[in-house]
Amino acid sequence: MSKSAFSAKVFAVYLFVAGALLATVPNVLLSILFIPQTSEVWIRVIGVIAVMIGIYAWDAATHEAKSFFVTSVYTRCTVFVAFVVFAALGFGSPMIILFGVADLLGGIWTHLALRADARSAQPA
């Protein structure tokens, strides 16, 4: 398994855990992050979507789908920017930035892994 595929599998596991918590017991996770609790269905919808994206990430990692890895670097960094903007505009608790940080760090890891994979594939 390539380093970038491994980073995608770790990202998938993160999405499985976060998504399952949001879908089943969202207020547990929200309270840990000091985000106001909710009874709205949307938080559970986001949890289900997160799990589905996790399935895509797992499958991409299993099949060494480099294009997915590259695209995920850009999208995960964009999530961080969007969450910072949402917090700055007062749309939600600044704690949502923690989710963005997780995506940003994961995106950076995948980027570095892609570079390492490219170096190891070059002939000596």
Side-chain angles (χ1 to χ4, degrees):
M1 175 185 317
S2 67
K3 292 177 181 182
S4 50
F6 179 72
S7 75
K9 281 201 172 184
V10 171
F11 178 56
V13 170
Y14 161 72
L15 290 172
F16 293 152
V17 172
L21 288 172
L22 289 173
T24 59
V25 287
N27 289 323
V28 170
L29 184 57
L30 295 177
S31 65
I32 291 169
L33 297 173
F34 304 105
I35 297 173
Q37 295 189 1
T38 184
S39 60
E40 292 283 332
V41 70
W42 298 110
I43 196 73
R44 294 176 190 274
V45 170
I46 295 301
V48 171
I49 292 169
V51 170
M52 297 304 109
I53 295 170
I55 292 169
Y56 295 146
W58 188 272
D59 186 68
T62 301
H63 293 93
E64 293 285 343
K66 182 180 172 189
S67 63
F68 177 89
F69 308 150
V70 171
T71 303
S72 79
V73 169
Y74 296 109
T75 59
R76 291 154 72 189
C77 292
T78 301
V79 166
F80 171 73
V81 172
F83 288 4
V84 168
V85 169
F86 293 163
L89 294 174
F91 293 162
S93 166
M95 295 302 286
I96 65 169
I97 295 172
L98 289 177
F99 285 106
V101 168
D103 275 271
L104 177 64
L105 293 176
I108 291 169
W109 177 22
T110 300
H111 172 72
L112 295 173
L114 283 163
R115 288 176 57 188
D117 291 341
R119 280 192 305 274
S120 68
Q122 294 176 350

